[in-house]
Amino acid sequence: MADLVDVETAVVALVADAVYPNGTSQPSAIVGPNGVAAPVKVFAGWPDKDELDRDLKAKKVTISVFSANSVETSMPIYNRDWHEFIPPAPTLEWTVDGYDATISGTPDPTQVAWLLVDGKGYPYRPLTTDGLPQIAAAIAAQIPGASANGATVTVAPPTRSLEGRVSAQGTLIREINRQKHEFLISIWAPNNDLRTAAARVVGPALIAPMWLPLVDGTNAKWTYSRTMNVDAEQLDGVYRRDFRHWAEYPTVELKRAQSAVIVGVQIGGSSSSNTDH
């Protein structure tokens, strides 16, 4: 589940992409009045004073992403129901042709292969050591009169319907908390020209997105708060610009769930499997 660190990481990536649009092996997009691109550091957290002093003396620009202390509010949750978050993606597939059902793909112990014969289901969950022939043989052994040849199961007539299905594991999600937190993105520059150049790159990049993708697959709602110059430390060679933005994001609970298997197709044609939820 997402927390402050995950939001900081997403913001760092957003800023870094703007500062180094061609990758960190290429010059930055922050160019001073001399036409030279400044080296830039982007990181989460608050700068170390000694390290910052060294970087400023070397004409480097620092951009820090920091979760503002004690600036958070709880937001209402209107739905705590479970819903599908990551749909299952079966790696196995059946092809049915007449009385033959052939399984293909990659065996996965989290999936269950089914053959439905005249509406009755015959399931098998593969072992980690199983290949396709082992799956076919295990299912054929359950079905009266059936046989297996390689990855193909053949059922005996007078079967009226035959269908192959695969049940895969997906992920269910529900929201258990929602919070809104303020984040401080600061430019630390050795002079006003580089501070201005950096702000012209970073400011629009921060304002543009409405949502930030987080590592757990959820998204944070991203809104602008305010911007200001901080000039109290100019005598020490520090030119600072602060951007404040709000991130509203959920705390979620996840669990695995198996998809359902539904009966279906009449014998007599070719059909491929699918999974219903």
Side-chain angles (χ1 to χ4, degrees), residues 114-200:
W114 292 74
L115 270 186
L116 303 172
V117 182
D118 289 339
K120 183 176 180 179
Y122 297 92
Y124 181 70
R125 184 187 294 276
L127 302 176
T128 55
T129 55
D130 282 344
L132 298 174
Q134 285 74 34
I135 297 174
I139 292 178
Q142 303 176 55
I143 305 171
S147 61
N149 182 14
T152 299
V153 177
T154 301
V155 298
T159 300
R160 294 182 302 277
S161 68
L162 177 64
E163 186 179 5
R165 292 275 176 161
V166 176
S167 172
Q169 280 190 359
T171 301
L172 298 181
I173 185 173
R174 70 171 177 175
E175 190 171 315
I176 57 176
N177 192 47
R178 175 166 286 270
Q179 50 274 320
K180 185 177 181 181
H181 198 100
E182 190 176 38
F183 287 79
L184 173 64
I185 301 92
S186 298
I187 294 170
W188 310 77
N191 54 61
N192 185 58
D193 288 331
L194 282 178
R195 175 174 67 179
T196 300
R200 286 174 176 163

Side-chain angles (χ1 to χ4, degrees), residues 16-209:
D17 286 345
V19 171
Y20 287 102
N22 300 314
T24 54
S25 63
Q26 300 299 314
S28 78
I30 298 174
V31 180
N34 58 358
V36 177
V40 183
K41 293 170 61 175
V42 185
F43 61 88
W46 196 252
D48 175 79
K49 185 179 185 306
D50 292 338
E51 185 176 356
L52 179 63
D53 287 343
R54 289 193 297 270
D55 289 339
L56 291 172
K57 288 176 182 177
K59 303 302 181 184
K60 292 182 180 179
V61 175
T62 292
I63 303 173
S64 59
V65 178
F66 184 70
S67 55
N69 293 332
S70 303
V71 188
E72 183 175 271
T73 183
S74 180
M75 304 297 288
I77 301 174
Y78 298 105
N79 189 342
R80 285 180 175 264
D81 294 340
W82 290 99
H83 62 275
E84 189 175 70
F85 178 50
I86 303 174
T91 60
L92 292 169
E93 184 178 15
W94 287 99
T95 301
V96 175
D97 186 9
Y99 294 103
D100 294 333
T102 302
I103 192 165
S104 59
T106 304
D108 185 337
T110 68
Q111 300 175 23
V112 179
W114 292 74
L115 270 186
L116 303 172
V117 182
D118 289 339
K120 183 176 180 179
Y122 297 92
Y124 181 70
R125 184 187 294 276
L127 302 176
T128 55
T129 55
D130 282 344
L132 298 174
Q134 285 74 34
I135 297 174
I139 292 178
Q142 303 176 55
I143 305 171
S147 61
N149 182 14
T152 299
V153 177
T154 301
V155 298
T159 300
R160 294 182 302 277
S161 68
L162 177 64
E163 186 179 5
R165 292 275 176 161
V166 176
S167 172
Q169 280 190 359
T171 301
L172 298 181
I173 185 173
R174 70 171 177 175
E175 190 171 315
I176 57 176
N177 192 47
R178 175 166 286 270
Q179 50 274 320
K180 185 177 181 181
H181 198 100
E182 190 176 38
F183 287 79
L184 173 64
I185 301 92
S186 298
I187 294 170
W188 310 77
N191 54 61
N192 185 58
D193 288 331
L194 282 178
R195 175 174 67 179
T196 300
R200 286 174 176 163
V201 172
V202 174
L206 288 172
I207 293 173

